[in-house]
Amino acid sequence: MSWELLISPEEVDKANQELLQTAEKVGADTWQQRVANQTPHCGFGESGTCCRICSMGPCRISKKAPRGICGCDIHGIVARNYLRFTAGGSATHSDHGRSIAHTLYNASPDGNYKVTDSEKLLRIAKEWGIETENKDIYDVAHEVALVGLNEYGKPFGNLLFTQRAPKARQAIWESQDILPRAIDREVSQAMHMTHMGCSSDPEALVRQSLRAGLSDGWGGSMMGTEFSDILFGTPRPIDTEANIGVLEEDMVNIIVHGHDPSLSEMIVFYANDPEMIAYAKEQGAKGINIAGVCCTSNEVAMRHGIPMAGNFLAQENVVLTGACEAIVVDVQCIFPALGPLSKCFHTKFITTSPIARIPDSDFIEFKEDTAAENAKAIVKMAIENFKNRKPELVHIPKQKSKATVGYSVEAIKKCLDGVTNSHVDELGTMKPLVDAVKSGVIRGAVAMVGCNNPKVRQDVYHIELMKKLLENDILVVVTGCSAQAAAKVGLMDKEAAKYCGEGLKRVCRLVGIPPVLHMGSCVDISRMMVLASDIAKDWGIEISEIPLVGCAPEWMSEKAVSIGNYVVATGIDTFLGVDPYTKGSEQVKGFLQSGLKRWVGANFIVNQDLDMLSTMMIEHIEEKREALGI
């Protein structure tokens, strides 16, 4: 099948090379150069066999030295490293959720943040047993936020959102002793278990990895998603554009980058303020253009149609265009390299969170009570920087594609209900999708997530896997950098349905959706867990039986390891294109790639061959169909 209308990897490479020439001209280094400087990578680190959790070492396991100084063997060391990786990711995503919970707590009718989706707020209040009758909506928001914040450190019980999972899945978590308790407790216990002189049993350490991951996916991340929807609106399908060409040569370009929508929402608001637009014109610009990078980009794209300039490995490119007045960051996945790089241009690099203090930046601390004041100051700073551009350095590659984004669980159900008139309750149903899968019109689905990683050619694993899946009538749902990879080349354009197999093509055109569905940012992988749970309930089967797999072909962060653990623990087999630093231990590798199937009905499959990865996913979906007799 010809995919000639999509932006090709070769075109992307050509644009990257043009921008790298600019970097060379101004004497700036880039991630490509730093990768070359760091290659080859440490073999002990890549296999997970280096231990530095006390000062007796570091200890590196080899044939000559099969145990660390304390006596821990290779399996305990690899498992401890894996659990610490998971704990870091769980803490990061969950702290994001905590921040959003604090923002909800501070929402008020005359404040900087307001309740936008009161229906979702009332639904969660009811779910959590909070009385709402005859109460002011902001009093309800206050109570919901307090209950949410209590999930982080409550002394007894289990996480409330785990009750959303099918009863059979909850029973599995309980029987395997991985049902998450308080969010912070699972991270704290993971760190305690991996302290010198504590756990060295790989099975116990892997089990805690699952539990810490679940506290993220069914705790902190889910709270971050749901509370963001309450504050900023539950996403609905909206049209936007993606790729580096969304920057505008004659406008003030402000890039929002990171993960916390509390900041970006305010930046977007003031960038659209008539007073600020008039000021931009006074400074010689035609207006103000906001674009995004990474998950902050996903957040504002799916709620406001703000264009997406790029994903993780494209963050330096926006500065290299020479047309970026300000790159404003909050937390997570931010290159410290943006500081010195911005100084080679006129760009203001603005950090806003004490969690992400980075050298060579302008720090403007962003707080809920001063949010409007902070955002207005940042937008004004960017506008006043427009006149400082260096025209000889301005070069914006013309690549950009149309995209339709914003497919929350609620939006997917509404699309299905609109076609089938099968609206059976106020929340809708997944039955039309289930029927399409049962009939074979759609063979199954892949939830593709995760980052970019320089070990894999940028975006190519995401895009090539998607193309193969679509040709085989497999629906793809995406979040995070994977979503932006799809958007940048045109796979989120509804017209991309023409490239699908006949069954999926028919469904996309009937329902009016693109073949790759954008579900949001990385924390919004929790939406995928709710979607899988709803499908299992409407179908009357267990999650692990659904013809559905997860895939993170270019993952790189601790957060991705936490995500992988909660996706697998939810019963969804997950395919990885980058090894999770466990190959040094056959025991740990065995647990993750086969043993977990006995515990939770799913496991990891690691394969760095692109063709093998796609073939295995398709075969896996077909095996699940066969087991169901469909």
Side-chain angles (χ1 to χ4, degrees):
M1 181 181 291
S2 174
W3 296 80
E4 74 283 350
L5 296 182
L6 297 181
I7 293 175
S8 69
E10 289 71 30
E11 291 175 275
V12 174
D13 286 346
K14 184 175 183 294
N16 286 340
Q17 287 304 315
E18 291 170 1
L19 293 171
L20 289 175
Q21 288 172 16
T22 303
E24 189 175 348
K25 187 188 299 184
V26 299
D29 74 352
T30 61
W31 66 261
Q32 290 93 336
Q33 181 182 332
R34 296 191 296 274
V35 167
N37 293 344
Q38 287 292 338
T39 305
H41 298 292
C42 170
F44 290 99
E46 284 194 320
S47 60
T49 57
C50 176
C51 182
R52 55 183 183 84
I53 63 172
C54 79
S55 67
M56 291 192 294
C59 296
R60 301 184 302 178
I61 301 302
S62 63
K63 288 183 179 178
K64 175 186 173 184
R67 291 180 180 271
I69 291 168
C70 71
C72 188
D73 66 15
I74 192 170
H75 309 298
I77 287 172
V78 170
R80 287 193 305 210
N81 287 336
Y82 182 77
L83 176 52
R84 285 209 162 196
F85 221 145
T86 304
S90 181
T92 302
H93 261 170
S94 295
D95 212 34
H96 173 164
R98 190 197 324 261
S99 174
I100 300 296
H102 276 288
T103 303
L104 180 62
Y105 182 83
N106 287 302
S108 66
D110 55 353
N112 292 315
Y113 296 101
K114 299 174 175 60
V115 170
T116 298
D117 190 340
S118 56
E119 183 183 330
K120 176 165 276 195
L121 171 62
L122 293 172
R123 194 162 71 238
I124 292 174
K126 181 180 178 182
E127 183 180 344
W128 285 357
I130 296 170
E131 182 59 51
T132 61
E133 193 172 350
N134 300 321
K135 280 187 181 176
D136 180 83
I137 198 68
Y138 286 92
D139 289 337
V140 176
H142 181 99
E143 287 190 55
V144 166
L146 273 179
V147 172
L149 288 166
N150 191 53
E151 290 290 272
Y152 284 84
K154 64 184 182 184
F156 305 106
N158 298 100
L159 296 184
L160 293 172
F161 274 144
T162 59
Q163 295 169 21
R164 290 179 162 186
K167 296 293 185 186
R169 181 51 43 178
Q170 294 180 51
I172 289 171
W173 292 337
E174 197 153 6
S175 69
Q176 295 298 324
D177 198 24
I178 58 172
L179 186 63
R181 300 156 295 186
I183 297 166
D184 289 347
R185 179 177 181 179
E186 301 308 351
V187 174
S188 180
Q189 183 163 312
M191 298 306 290
H192 189 178
M193 287 179 72
T194 55
H195 189 275
M196 189 273 154
C198 288
S199 291
S200 57
D201 173 48
E203 179 175 336
L205 292 160
V206 170
R207 282 188 188 275
Q208 182 59 22
S209 298
L210 296 178
R211 198 176 215 173
L214 285 168
S215 75
D216 166 10
W218 291 86
S221 278
M222 198 166 285
M223 204 178 309
T225 291
E226 297 286 48
F227 287 6
S228 291
D229 286 353
I230 291 168
L231 287 163
F232 311 125
T234 299
R236 296 286 186 268
I238 188 170
D239 294 333
T240 187
E241 293 180 318
N243 217 326
I244 194 70
V246 302
L247 273 68
E248 300 282 353
E249 194 165 335
D250 53 5
M251 298 183 79
V252 174
N253 290 303
I254 302 174
I255 300 295
V256 289
H257 173 22
H259 288 75
D260 188 340
S262 300
L263 165 66
S264 53
E265 284 284 331
M266 279 292 169
I267 298 290
V268 169
F269 180 83
Y270 280 100
N272 286 295
D273 183 350
E275 180 187 334
M276 290 290 100
I277 294 171
Y279 188 48
K281 290 178 178 178
E282 284 178 26
Q283 299 296 311
K286 284 191 176 179
I288 303 170
N289 179 46
I290 301 287
V293 167
C294 272
C295 282
T296 287
S297 176
N298 284 308
E299 297 276 4
V300 292
M302 66 187 177
R303 293 191 174 96
H304 305 288
I306 298 298
M308 299 186 284
N311 46 7
F312 176 64
L313 284 183
Q315 61 186 278
E316 291 175 332
N317 286 359
V318 294
V319 178
L320 289 170
T321 64
C324 174
E325 273 60 62
I327 181 163
V328 188
V329 304
D330 44 75
V331 294
Q332 302 171 28
C333 297
I334 301 150
F335 278 176
L338 290 175
L341 177 63
S342 293
K343 290 190 176 303
C344 296
F345 296 84
H346 75 298
T347 305
K348 295 285 187 182
F349 175 43
I350 301 169
T351 52
T352 61
S353 172
I355 292 171
R357 294 300 303 269
I358 301 174
D360 295 315
S361 68
D362 293 303
F363 180 61
I364 300 176
E365 186 169 0
F366 199 82
K367 297 179 179 178
E368 285 95 346
D369 57 345
T370 59
E373 176 187 325
N374 297 149
K376 196 169 184 178
I378 289 168
V379 172
K380 189 176 181 183
M381 183 187 295
I383 291 170
E384 292 171 348
N385 196 29
F386 180 76
K387 62 180 179 293
N388 297 321
R389 272 194 195 178
K390 300 171 183 176
E392 70 277 10
L393 295 180
V394 174
H395 172 66
I396 304 172
K398 301 304 180 188
Q399 296 172 357
K400 64 179 178 180
S401 298
K402 295 178 183 178
T404 302
V405 300
Y407 289 93
S408 59
V409 176
E410 293 87 345
I412 291 172
K413 289 182 177 181
K414 187 172 182 180
C415 288
L416 294 171
D417 286 345
V419 173
T420 63
N421 297 316
S422 59
H423 199 73
V424 295
D425 59 42
E426 75 273 12
L427 299 180
T429 175
M430 297 309 302
K431 192 172 183 300
L433 179 59
V434 169
D435 290 343
V437 175
K438 283 182 178 178
S439 70
V441 175
I442 297 176
R443 305 303 293 175
V446 171
M448 198 171 296
V449 304
C451 330
N452 299 133
N453 190 319
K455 293 181 177 179
V456 177
R457 187 178 173 192
Q458 183 186 351
D459 294 341
V460 169
Y461 268 40
H462 291 294
I463 294 161
E464 293 303 317
L465 287 171
M466 288 177 197
K467 287 160 64 174
K468 184 75 174 289
L469 295 166
L470 298 181
E471 288 174 345
N472 284 272
D473 289 320
I474 295 171
L475 182 70
V476 180
V477 293
V478 290
T479 59
C481 287
S482 183
Q484 289 161 330
K488 287 193 294 180
V489 301
L491 283 173
M492 283 185 187
D493 188 342
K494 291 177 183 177
E495 291 300 311
K498 70 178 75 170
Y499 300 122
C500 300
E502 289 303 315
L504 182 55
K505 183 192 301 181
R506 190 158 70 249
V507 170
C508 289
R509 288 178 173 169
L510 178 65
V511 183
I513 57 174
V516 177
L517 294 182
H518 177 277
M519 293 198 78
S521 66
C522 286
V523 295
D524 294 330
I525 296 169
S526 59
R527 296 192 202 275
M528 294 175 171
M529 301 304 97
V530 174
L531 184 68
S533 293
D534 287 353
I535 290 172
K537 290 171 186 175
D538 284 347
W539 196 331
I541 60 176
E542 216 285 304
I543 291 175
S544 60
E545 296 178 275
I546 302 170
L548 164 70
V549 300
C551 182
E554 301 180 24
W555 76 272
M556 65 86 202
S557 73
E558 291 174 317
K559 295 181 298 178
V561 177
S562 177
I563 290 164
N565 277 293
Y566 75 69
V567 172
V568 168
T570 300
I572 303 169
D573 290 291
T574 298
F575 291 75
L576 307 177
V578 176
D579 187 84
Y581 293 175
T582 58
K583 62 186 177 185
S585 165
E586 286 301 319
Q587 280 189 30
V588 176
K589 183 179 173 183
F591 282 132
L592 297 178
Q593 297 188 39
S594 60
L596 296 187
K597 184 77 80 171
R598 298 191 300 274
W599 301 354
V600 294
N603 54 233
F604 290 100
I605 300 93
V606 182
N607 199 303
Q608 291 158 304
D609 182 280
L610 181 59
D611 291 331
M612 284 295 295
L613 205 58
S614 61
T615 299
M616 291 166 71
M617 283 195 286
I618 293 167
E619 288 176 349
H620 208 76
I621 285 170
E622 292 301 328
E623 287 168 6
K624 286 181 177 284
R625 293 183 62 84
E626 186 177 347
L628 288 166
I630 57 173

